[in-house]
Amino acid sequence: MPSYTAPTKDMDFILHNVLKVSEQDTPGYADLDRDFTSAILEEAGKLASEVLAPLNSVGDTEGCVLENGVVRTPTGFKDAFEQVKAGGWTGIDLPEEYGGQNMPYIMYTAVGETSSAANQAFTMYQGLTHGAASAILAHGSEEQKTTYLPKMTSCEWTGTMNLTEPHCGTDLGLMRTKAVPQDDGSFKISGQKIFISAGEHDMADNIIHLVLAKIPGGPEGIKGVSLFIVPKFMVNEDGSLGARNGASCGKIEEKMGIHGNSTCVMNYDEATGYLLGEEHKGMRAMFTMMNEARIGVGMQGLAQAEVAYQNALEYAKDRLQGRAVTGDENPDGPADPLIVHPDIRRNLLDQKSFVEGGRAFLLWGSQMIDQSHRGGDEAAEGLVSLLTPIIKGFLTDEGYDMTVQAQQVYGGHGYIEEWGMSQFTRDARIAMIYEGANGVQALDLVGRKLAQDGGKHVMAFFDLVKSFIKENEGNEALKADFLDPLKEASKHLQAAGMYFMQNGMKNPNAALAGSYDFMHLFGHVCLGLMWAQMGKAAMDAVENGEGDTAFYKTKIATGRYYMKRRLPATSMHLTRIESGADTVMELEAEAF
Amino acid sequence: MPSYTAPTKDMDFILHNVLKVSEQDTPGYADLDRDFTSAILEEAGKLASEVLAPLNSVGDTEGCVLENGVVRTPTGFKDAFEQVKAGGWTGIDLPEEYGGQNMPYIMYTAVGETSSAANQAFTMYQGLTHGAASAILAHGSEEQKTTYLPKMTSCEWTGTMNLTEPHCGTDLGLMRTKAVPQDDGSFKISGQKIFISAGEHDMADNIIHLVLAKIPGGPEGIKGVSLFIVPKFMVNEDGSLGARNGASCGKIEEKMGIHGNSTCVMNYDEATGYLLGEEHKGMRAMFTMMNEARIGVGMQGLAQAEVAYQNALEYAKDRLQGRAVTGDENPDGPADPLIVHPDIRRNLLDQKSFVEGGRAFLLWGSQMIDQSHRGGDEAAEGLVSLLTPIIKGFLTDEGYDMTVQAQQVYGGHGYIEEWGMSQFTRDARIAMIYEGANGVQALDLVGRKLAQDGGKHVMAFFDLVKSFIKENEGNEALKADFLDPLKEASKHLQAAGMYFMQNGMKNPNAALAGSYDFMHLFGHVCLGLMWAQMGKAAMDAVENGEGDTAFYKTKIATGRYYMKRRLPATSMHLTRIESGADTVMELEAEAF
């Protein structure tokens, strides 16, 4: 049975030694001193390891069951959800006026990593609610906000997002769900939505569905899509619950993983809905939430990699198998622990250097969300908008690969469900798909974000890398181990961008054929930058005699591994990108 | 519901245009003319797509059930197995004197790919039997051969391999199962074995377990391990079945995939066993089977990638989503098919170029097995022994990754079990683990095979690459698109080998820390060589006007993709290898 311990020390290192959050002038950041963040993260970590983690395999084994229209969640989920609600964990970053705690989004992300690592399927019930509440917060009328937000902040009511239909996922312009206007200003929503996470369940008094639909007579395609609030139970004026609305779960999907979350086919049969935001501006309303939602999914990829790594590491220390090639390290035992073997270490260090670098990337992105939303910082908004598809696509691709590597450490036991490693892999797999499949993230990055605002944001990224290198070149150890490799990798990224600029205009396929490699190339440079910053922070801490020297030295060694062993992937991605579109586009579809 | 069509045309292309099997002087190869191999592969393919493929998801959903010591296989498995037996497919390459058809191993591999792609879990029942029969064939007494081989060739009796115990898998020297000699020359076997595929089931009259165990008083560790034949039912002198032996299934494991195969915990309680081969030479007896068994697993990795690719391709052609960036390609439809999108093509071509290159590699390896076993060719034996860990490790790693990519083409539907793509991934996962986890393959490659016989075999590989390049340099198209990239990649491989030679002697960790990258680097060079040979064969076929020009041109284009887009990974692997052991070995275990 796997276990989970929240990496609070690592999180605090990033928050305070690297991002120096409490020194930032972003509203709310002054409160984030080390004592405060440590206390929050410790409590969240305790809940995650003691309450949520033990239910992870229960959720996987039992799954959700639909009977007579009612969905039963796995044993223990409801109790655990009550504990999460009671602790006030559901509204960490939501406004105080609706019962939230108004903490910065960066704290929501850090706390979210702990619960998602412990139990992804469970955490999604709250995560979807948070997404729906954010949409109402951003686009709802005052009445809608006061009607829904207090209950959604507390998760007494949960939320869902309804986008996909059987014949369309990415291409929502093909949508068929209809919203017919009624005399009282409401709409009758009819249609079928699929892949609706937490679409129906037994852990909340009401479920607030946000549904994309088309108002007949509106513009064709994606420009005619509007967003609606469709409550499971109608809400009376006094806030009490009324009649059941025409929204029902037709089926629960059998999935590869996240069995503890009810993935529903939702049928809307003249259900009463209320326009959220403007008519035909539904996609725009969704997109304002998109950065946060996608960063949240990137977090999931990282979280599964973290918990898988923790368990693989324990196994590698415990399991005795074979002898170190350089001489017995456990001479009194029948064999040495797995961790003496170089290839097991290579495997573990791939994981360790990814999760620690990825976490810094994730928290940096979250900080920029705060700078944008709380501080009105347009440069931060532009940069995080550029980096969001990378946070989502790169962290979930790599996160998944790392769960596969963690499983491999267990040998045959990694394939047996009882050991729990398979579940991490199966659960992590979805994050590469939902909130925009990773190919769509790559397309968004190269096709939209790169050239946005005249390429200003990618230039800002390069400036950031350059100035960090320049400021720290005097530090010889940092230069050799961190800055030089970062500079090299950053050159590859620039060359790739240049290739797109020179070729993409006359042949868009030349850019798009390299989009996936570009996303990964960019991801590695981001993690390279994070490791350079962490390397510096750790060296500073050692020099300043800040406590746990062993911790900081391990940080430096892990960073060196990333720069030496992982970052060189950038050169391969560049070569692929520069090979252009010819070999990709040459074959006719029939010739495949 | 996914489907499968055997890639017989591709197989024939490799067998005849590339390997030119019927021109080889290896015994049995003269029979392999195109008509013959086509007929065999067509029939095998028909059985695979019509009988085995439809049972694939049945096996996954139902799994195997243990009740009162009896294992029930999924609905339809027994009938299908009878059809496989009736068609004579179980003994294709086994000797005629025991009822086999004595075809070369290369045909066994090609046929095996079709059944494994259609239904891996099902095909394993026969595959394990084949492995056990091969061991008896190689090491059994005449009496043992006549007792067991006819029934095992026909699969009236199936076989198993019992190596792993709860506390040891890779390190079999720790084994605890005991074999106590009896006065009649037999042994009493006691102990527990785990992960025994096809350990107990209802599709055969008897099960012949091959069990590794230690005879008390023998040498310590791995040198004291012997191999035993332990039948489920005792076999009387007249060949009829006698009493039940003390071998029983204690549990069926719940696994990530291959649910249709019964993975058993086997308990041996003073079971009667018969020594197979010499006392204390059990590992040696196992190892003579190892190349074939590992090539068989490499085949599985490839097979799952093939079937996943076929379905992803169909989906990419059918599913309408979005528009081509260069203008509508399906203007009368609501959207264009997925395959117009460059990144979908990149994804599909990764898969296509891998499976076709991998298949050539696999069949070339199988040909060398024939040259060695049938032709007594020691050079072939040495080379295939070197390449076996790569066939196993590289084809299963990449094969798995390709099933993941295939799943991704389906978007959300790829995560839903109903569509079948998840099963390909889950089934493919085991191949990276069993028959020696891929890290062990890398260790075998770098720690043993590379330097074997004074490095003669790796030199032979380089000679082969060099002479192919030299012979064909006059072909300009081949040179630019295939030979030059192959030469470059081959240089990376040589540099890596050189690095190991220069550093591995004084610090074995310097080599072993790069072993996994070396396995992949070598794998890419092998596929590069295969593609260069296929490119040449296809160009020759076009020049000679041999029929289906479109087929050959597609082959060339697919090869160009591999050389441009996949092969450049060699440079990254070399960089990692040359970074040495420092960052890998630096941290103490406690510091992780």
Side-chain angles (χ1 to χ4, degrees):
Chain A
M1 178 80 124
S3 65
Y4 171 71
T5 309
T8 51
K9 197 168 185 179
D10 267 355
M11 288 177 171
D12 271 328
F13 170 74
I14 295 167
L15 291 175
H16 300 288
N17 294 63
V18 181
L19 299 174
K20 302 187 195 298
V21 285
S22 61
E23 299 171 22
Q24 307 303 317
D25 57 8
T26 306
Y29 270 51
D31 299 338
L32 302 182
D33 60 52
R34 205 181 271 262
D35 286 348
F36 178 76
T37 65
S38 295
I40 296 281
L41 295 174
E42 287 296 336
E43 278 306 305
K46 215 173 128 187
L47 186 72
S49 39
E50 294 176 9
V51 178
L52 308 188
L55 293 176
N56 197 38
S57 74
V58 176
D60 188 53
T61 315
E62 292 187 14
C64 292
V65 180
L66 172 68
E67 265 172 11
N68 305 322
V70 177
V71 171
R72 202 170 62 241
T73 52
T75 308
F77 268 42
K78 202 168 173 176
D79 283 351
F81 204 44
E82 291 307 319
Q83 289 187 58
V84 171
K85 293 177 196 177
W89 295 105
T90 59
I92 285 187
D93 65 329
L94 293 173
E96 285 175 356
E97 61 178 308
Y98 304 118
Q101 307 198 37
N102 196 31
M103 283 186 220
Y105 179 72
I106 198 170
M107 292 306 293
Y108 176 72
T109 303
V111 167
E113 187 200 313
T114 67
S115 48
S116 195
N119 197 327
Q120 178 174 331
F122 175 89
T123 303
M124 287 169 66
Y125 291 96
Q126 181 273 322
L128 269 299
T129 309
H130 187 272
S134 301
I136 295 174
L137 193 60
H139 301 283
S141 65
E142 270 316 304
E143 193 200 330
Q144 288 173 336
K145 290 186 198 177
T146 49
T147 303
Y148 300 107
L149 289 181
K151 299 282 191 185
M152 293 177 80
T153 300
S154 64
C155 274
E156 285 166 271
W157 300 353
T158 61
T160 72
M161 303 294 241
N162 294 242
L163 289 76
T164 307
E165 299 184 4
H167 62 290
C168 68
T170 301
D171 189 353
L172 290 171
L174 304 175
M175 183 174 295
R176 290 178 194 147
T177 298
K178 288 210 166 6
V180 180
Q182 305 296 304
D183 292 341
D184 65 355
S186 71
F187 291 77
K188 291 286 181 207
I189 314 286
S190 299
Q192 190 178 64
K193 294 287 180 177
I194 62 171
F195 304 158
I196 308 309
S197 302
E200 178 58 46
H201 62 87
D202 56 2
M203 302 200 296
D205 298 333
N206 201 1
I207 300 177
I208 310 306
H209 303 287
L210 298 197
V211 182
L212 285 176
K214 283 184 169 178
I215 302 168
E220 285 292 299
I222 200 74
K223 289 177 182 160
V225 168
S226 307
L227 185 59
F228 299 89
I229 298 175
V230 184
K232 173 179 167 184
F233 290 103
M234 303 305 292
V235 182
N236 299 323
E237 283 203 12
D238 64 356
S240 64
L241 297 183
R244 180 79 189 245
N245 201 353
S248 61
C249 170
K251 183 188 172 190
I252 293 190
E253 305 282 5
E254 298 288 337
K255 310 180 299 291
M256 184 176 179
I258 53 166
H259 296 158
N261 199 277
S262 58
T263 305
C264 299
V265 173
M266 289 300 298
N267 296 318
Y268 294 92
D269 186 15
E270 301 213 328
T272 299
Y274 307 101
L275 187 67
L276 178 60
E278 293 175 54
E279 271 192 13
H280 314 317
K281 300 280 157 82
M283 288 311 291
R284 194 185 292 173
M286 292 302 305
F287 267 101
T288 55
M289 250 60 54
M290 208 64 101
N291 283 343
E292 276 183 58
R294 290 182 168 175
I295 288 172
V297 175
M299 177 270 278
Q300 292 179 334
L302 177 73
Q304 290 307 301
E306 166 71 29
V307 65
Y309 166 67
Q310 286 187 12
N311 286 281
L313 175 60
E314 281 314 301
Y315 193 79
K317 287 179 180 173
D318 284 354
R319 173 89 170 172
L320 305 179
Q321 206 80 177
R323 289 293 187 186
V325 67
T326 46
D328 297 4
E329 298 208 4
N330 177 31
D332 299 334
D336 289 339
L338 283 179
I339 200 167
V340 305
H341 303 298
D343 187 61
I344 293 285
R345 292 176 148 256
R346 185 252 340 142
N347 182 335
L348 291 170
L349 281 161
D350 280 358
Q351 297 175 57
K352 182 175 171 63
S353 65
F354 164 73
V355 291
E356 294 179 17
R359 180 175 299 119
F361 186 29
L362 179 73
L363 292 176
W364 177 43
S366 302
Q367 185 186 37
M368 286 188 281
I369 292 279
D370 284 325
Q371 288 166 341
S372 153
H373 290 189
R374 294 177 163 249
D377 181 339
E378 286 183 15
E381 186 180 348
L383 187 50
V384 75
S385 171
L386 170 73
L387 298 181
T388 293
I390 307 166
I391 294 176
K392 198 278 183 182
F394 183 71
L395 293 190
T396 60
D397 274 359
E398 293 273 309
Y400 177 76
D401 285 350
M402 293 307 150
T403 63
V404 174
Q405 288 197 191
Q407 206 183 0
Q408 194 72 6
V409 173
Y410 280 69
H413 301 281
Y415 200 63
I416 307 297
E417 292 294 353
E418 193 183 342
W419 289 79
M421 301 305 285
S422 160
Q423 188 189 349
F424 298 140
T425 301
R426 291 184 291 97
D427 285 0
R429 183 67 186 85
I430 189 58
M432 296 158 72
I433 300 173
Y434 60 19
E435 280 305 328
N438 286 355
V440 175
Q441 303 299 327
L443 177 65
D444 178 46
L445 174 63
V446 171
R448 276 183 68 232
K449 299 294 178 63
L450 208 50
Q452 211 163 44
D453 300 322
K456 180 163 92 174
H457 310 302
V458 72
M459 294 315 298
F461 178 82
F462 284 123
D463 284 347
L464 213 145
V465 173
K466 266 182 225 161
S467 59
F468 181 80
I469 292 174
K470 201 165 175 196
E471 277 163 28
N472 295 286
E473 267 176 336
N475 181 337
E476 274 180 41
L478 195 71
K479 182 172 185 305
D481 290 340
F482 291 91
L483 303 182
D484 289 348
L486 175 61
K487 192 186 269 185
E488 176 79 5
S490 165
K491 271 187 201 159
H492 295 153
L493 184 62
Q494 280 178 293
M498 195 61 77
Y499 178 85
F500 290 160
M501 270 174 46
Q502 287 168 346
N503 298 277
M505 293 294 192
K506 50 181 190 283
N507 178 13
N509 288 333
L512 298 184
S515 58
Y516 215 87
D517 281 291
F518 189 77
M519 180 173 75
H520 277 257
L521 168 48
F522 210 151
H524 278 295
V525 174
C526 288
L527 259 61
L529 174 63
M530 293 300 104
W531 271 117
Q533 292 180 352
M534 289 196 285
K536 177 186 150 50
M539 288 177 188
D540 286 351
V542 171
E543 204 173 294
N544 301 337
E546 287 179 31
D548 193 347
T549 309
F551 172 83
Y552 296 117
K553 288 197 166 168
T554 296
K555 197 60 76 182
I556 296 164
T558 308
R560 271 203 296 259
Y561 180 90
Y562 194 89
M563 304 313 271
K564 280 268 193 206
R565 288 248 167 187
R566 305 291 298 163
L567 199 56
T570 55
S571 156
M572 175 186 71
H573 291 300
L574 177 60
T575 306
R576 288 185 187 163
I577 288 165
E578 290 182 338
S579 79
D582 292 353
T583 60
V584 176
M585 303 308 295
E586 180 177 356
L587 287 178
E588 296 293 322
E590 301 70 42
F592 269 75
Chain B
M1 177 83 125
S3 65
Y4 172 70
T5 309
T8 51
K9 198 167 183 178
D10 266 356
M11 289 177 169
D12 272 328
F13 170 74
I14 295 166
L15 292 176
H16 301 289
N17 294 63
V18 181
L19 299 175
K20 300 185 197 297
V21 285
S22 61
E23 297 171 24
Q24 307 303 316
D25 57 7
T26 305
Y29 270 51
D31 299 339
L32 302 182
D33 59 52
R34 204 180 272 260
D35 285 349
F36 178 77
T37 64
S38 295
I40 296 282
L41 296 175
E42 286 296 336
E43 277 307 305
K46 215 173 129 189
L47 186 73
S49 40
E50 294 175 9
V51 178
L52 308 188
L55 293 176
N56 197 40
S57 75
V58 177
D60 188 54
T61 315
E62 292 187 14
C64 293
V65 180
L66 172 68
E67 265 172 12
N68 305 322
V70 177
V71 172
R72 201 169 63 240
T73 52
T75 308
F77 269 41
K78 202 168 175 176
D79 284 349
F81 204 43
E82 291 307 317
Q83 290 186 57
V84 171
K85 294 176 195 175
W89 295 105
T90 59
I92 284 187
D93 65 327
L94 293 173
E96 285 176 357
E97 62 178 308
Y98 302 119
Q101 306 198 36
N102 195 31
M103 281 185 222
Y105 178 72
I106 198 172
M107 291 306 293
Y108 176 71
T109 303
V111 167
E113 187 200 313
T114 66
S115 48
S116 195
N119 197 326
Q120 178 174 331
F122 175 89
T123 303
M124 288 170 65
Y125 291 96
Q126 181 273 321
L128 270 298
T129 309
H130 187 272
S134 301
I136 295 174
L137 192 61
H139 301 282
S141 64
E142 270 316 305
E143 194 199 331
Q144 288 172 334
K145 289 186 197 177
T146 50
T147 303
Y148 300 106
L149 289 181
K151 298 283 191 184
M152 293 177 80
T153 299
S154 65
C155 274
E156 285 166 272
W157 299 355
T158 61
T160 71
M161 304 294 242
N162 292 244
L163 288 77
T164 307
E165 299 184 5
H167 62 290
C168 68
T170 300
D171 190 354
L172 290 171
L174 304 175
M175 184 174 296
R176 290 178 193 148
T177 298
K178 288 211 166 8
V180 180
Q182 305 297 302
D183 292 342
D184 65 356
S186 72
F187 291 78
K188 290 285 181 208
I189 314 286
S190 299
Q192 190 178 65
K193 295 287 181 176
I194 63 170
F195 304 158
I196 309 309
S197 302
E200 178 59 46
H201 61 87
D202 56 1
M203 301 201 295
D205 299 333
N206 201 2
I207 300 177
I208 310 306
H209 303 288
L210 298 196
V211 183
L212 285 176
K214 283 184 170 179
I215 301 169
E220 285 292 300
I222 199 74
K223 288 178 181 159
V225 168
S226 308
L227 186 59
F228 299 89
I229 297 175
V230 184
K232 173 180 168 184
F233 289 104
M234 303 305 292
V235 182
N236 298 322
E237 282 202 12
D238 64 357
S240 65
L241 298 183
R244 180 79 189 244
N245 201 354
S248 60
C249 169
K251 183 187 172 191
I252 292 190
E253 305 282 5
E254 297 288 336
K255 310 181 298 294
M256 183 177 179
I258 53 165
H259 297 157
N261 199 278
S262 57
T263 305
C264 299
V265 173
M266 290 299 298
N267 295 319
Y268 294 92
D269 185 13
E270 301 214 328
T272 300
Y274 308 100
L275 187 67
L276 177 60
E278 294 175 52
E279 271 191 14
H280 312 318
K281 300 281 158 80
M283 288 311 291
R284 192 186 293 174
M286 292 301 305
F287 266 101
T288 56
M289 249 60 53
M290 210 62 101
N291 283 344
E292 275 184 59
R294 290 181 169 176
I295 288 172
V297 176
M299 178 270 279
Q300 292 178 335
L302 176 73
Q304 290 307 301
E306 165 70 30
V307 66
Y309 167 66
Q310 286 187 12
N311 286 280
L313 175 61
E314 281 313 301
Y315 192 80
K317 287 178 180 174
D318 284 354
R319 174 88 170 174
L320 305 179
Q321 206 79 175
R323 289 292 185 184
V325 67
T326 47
D328 297 4
E329 299 207 5
N330 177 30
D332 299 334
D336 289 337
L338 284 179
I339 199 167
V340 305
H341 303 299
D343 187 60
I344 293 285
R345 292 177 148 257
R346 183 239 2 128
N347 182 334
L348 291 171
L349 281 162
D350 280 358
Q351 296 176 57
K352 181 175 171 64
S353 64
F354 164 73
V355 291
E356 295 180 16
R359 180 175 298 119
F361 186 29
L362 180 73
L363 292 176
W364 176 44
S366 302
Q367 185 186 37
M368 286 189 281
I369 292 279
D370 284 325
Q371 288 166 342
S372 154
H373 290 187
R374 294 176 164 250
D377 182 338
E378 286 182 15
E381 186 179 349
L383 186 51
V384 75
S385 171
L386 169 73
L387 299 181
T388 293
I390 306 165
I391 294 177
K392 198 280 182 181
F394 182 71
L395 293 190
T396 60
D397 274 359
E398 292 273 310
Y400 177 76
D401 284 350
M402 293 306 149
T403 64
V404 175
Q405 288 197 192
Q407 205 182 3
Q408 194 73 7
V409 173
Y410 281 69
H413 301 281
Y415 200 64
I416 307 297
E417 293 294 352
E418 194 182 342
W419 289 79
M421 301 305 287
S422 160
Q423 189 189 347
F424 298 139
T425 301
R426 291 185 290 98
D427 286 0
R429 183 67 186 86
I430 188 57
M432 296 158 71
I433 299 173
Y434 59 20
E435 280 305 327
N438 286 355
V440 175
Q441 302 298 327
L443 178 65
D444 179 47
L445 174 64
V446 171
R448 277 182 68 231
K449 299 293 178 64
L450 209 51
Q452 210 163 44
D453 300 322
K456 182 163 90 172
H457 310 302
V458 72
M459 293 316 297
F461 178 82
F462 284 124
D463 285 347
L464 212 147
V465 172
K466 267 184 224 161
S467 58
F468 181 80
I469 291 174
K470 202 167 174 192
E471 278 163 29
N472 295 286
E473 266 175 337
N475 182 337
E476 274 180 40
L478 194 72
K479 183 171 184 306
D481 290 340
F482 292 90
L483 303 183
D484 289 348
L486 175 61
K487 192 186 270 184
E488 176 79 5
S490 164
K491 271 186 202 159
H492 296 153
L493 184 62
Q494 281 178 293
M498 194 61 76
Y499 179 85
F500 289 160
M501 272 174 45
Q502 287 168 346
N503 298 278
M505 293 295 193
K506 49 180 189 285
N507 178 13
N509 288 334
L512 297 184
S515 58
Y516 214 87
D517 280 291
F518 189 77
M519 180 172 76
H520 277 257
L521 201 180
F522 210 151
H524 277 296
V525 174
C526 288
L527 259 61
L529 175 63
M530 293 300 103
W531 270 118
Q533 292 180 352
M534 289 196 284
K536 176 186 150 52
M539 287 177 189
D540 287 351
V542 171
E543 203 174 294
N544 301 337
E546 287 179 29
D548 194 347
T549 309
F551 172 83
Y552 297 118
K553 287 197 165 167
T554 297
K555 196 60 74 182
I556 296 164
T558 308
R560 271 202 296 258
Y561 181 90
Y562 194 88
M563 305 311 272
K564 280 269 192 205
R565 287 248 168 187
R566 305 292 299 165
L567 199 56
T570 55
S571 155
M572 175 187 70
H573 291 301
L574 176 61
T575 306
R576 289 185 187 164
I577 288 165
E578 290 183 338
S579 79
D582 292 353
T583 59
V584 177
M585 303 308 295
E586 179 176 358
L587 287 179
E588 296 294 322
E590 301 69 42
F592 268 76

